[in-house]
Amino acid sequence: MSYSIFLLRFVDSEVVALDAVRFRQLTEPYVVAGSPEDGFSQLRAEDGGEADLYHESHGASGMTGVTVTHFAKGAMLGVLSRLAAALGASIVPQEGDTLIFHEKERRHLPVELRRNAVVIVPTADALQAAFDAR
């Protein structure tokens, strides 16, 4: 895919920190370059699909989000959707509707993202279908 997506966790319309330890645990099996300390990780899924993740921590506020670029279709979409779900994050595409995994998350989104947010299951097929629908 040639556009970016953002993994962001919202509480009461505000972006809050992601669990950096959980992020490391979930991405570690897929990392082929970079590291959380570098603020960049390149991931490779079991089918060879890759993605570039940018994930800087900002002092006391922690890891406030992850930017995903150059991601492949296929198994990598499953990795990304499971990662977002496990972190309690929404998937905010560069273009298109915000993707959430539970209806209860809608109330935490900023007002401008709530109305069109789409609930999906954390699978490669569901994420691909959401991207295809935009």
Side-chain angles (χ1 to χ4, degrees), residues 27-35 40-45 48-52 76:
T27 58
E28 190 172 43
Y30 304 100
V31 173
V32 294
S35 72
F40 168 80
S41 297
Q42 184 178 53
L43 307 185
R44 183 174 300 134
E50 295 183 346
D52 295 338
M76 183 50 67

Side-chain angles (χ1 to χ4, degrees), residues 8-43:
L8 301 169
R9 184 169 174 256
F10 296 99
V11 174
D12 297 329
S13 300
E14 299 291 328
V15 174
V16 298
L18 299 169
D19 183 336
V21 173
R22 186 82 175 123
F23 173 83
R24 179 189 296 264
Q25 292 169 339
L26 294 166
T27 58
E28 190 172 43
Y30 304 100
V31 173
V32 294
S35 72
E37 293 78 23
D38 297 334
F40 168 80
S41 297
Q42 184 178 53
L43 307 185

